[in-house]
Amino acid sequence: MNILITGTSGEPIYAQIVSQVRQLILQGELVSGTALPSIRLLAKDLQISVITTKRAYEELEREGLINSIVGKGSFVSGADQEFIREQRLRIMEHKMKEVIDESRLLRINFTEITEMMKLLYEEEKG
């Protein structure tokens, strides 16, 4: 498992870990039952606090992506990909609602929102 942490992203370190592990699971690179590095080992490898790594694992467990077993470690859960995808879609819908609410406050119409989204999407594709 290769996780890259960047100090310039503006995203908290624990969130970077969660995001990357989530992506690996959704892409099928980490399959059900795969053991994750221990909290201490990952913290050492990434040169970060054990508390930060623990927070990331707790978030992944809350999302149903991993299971932690005391004394044995953390493993990718058996949740099916469709269930995980539905969870992520629900989160995405919530974020989109926040964007819509903010756009209404700023009096930005739907056409402007879609243009902004299109530009950002194309920019990210490279």
Side-chain angles (χ1 to χ4, degrees), residues 4-111:
L4 302 172
I5 301 300
T6 174
T8 59
S9 76
E11 184 179 29
I13 293 172
Y14 85 92
Q16 291 180 51
I17 296 168
V18 170
S19 174
Q20 291 178 51
V21 171
R22 181 188 303 123
Q23 192 65 29
L24 290 170
I25 292 170
L26 291 174
Q27 290 174 342
E29 291 182 40
L30 291 176
V31 296
S32 177
T34 302
L36 299 178
S38 72
I39 290 171
R40 290 187 188 283
L41 179 61
L42 186 59
K44 182 181 174 192
D45 288 348
L46 297 176
Q47 298 180 338
I48 60 173
S49 164
V50 171
I51 295 168
T52 301
T53 308
K54 186 176 189 306
R55 183 173 179 191
Y57 276 31
E58 286 171 347
E59 179 65 27
L60 289 163
E61 194 161 12
R62 255 192 307 280
E63 290 184 18
L65 297 173
I66 69 170
N67 297 316
S68 296
I69 303 167
V70 176
K72 298 213 181 228
S74 297
F75 304 87
V76 175
S77 78
D80 75 23
Q81 296 299 318
E82 193 57 35
F83 173 75
I84 293 169
R85 186 175 189 280
E86 284 299 318
Q87 285 182 310
R88 298 302 307 148
L89 283 173
R90 188 172 37 87
I91 292 168
M92 188 172 140
E93 287 170 1
H94 176 74
K95 290 178 180 180
M96 290 173 83
K97 179 157 179 9
E98 288 176 357
V99 168
I100 291 167
D101 292 344
E102 187 68 21
S103 69
R104 286 186 175 138
L105 288 173
L106 295 171
R107 300 185 195 284
I108 297 173
N109 66 39
F110 182 73
T111 303

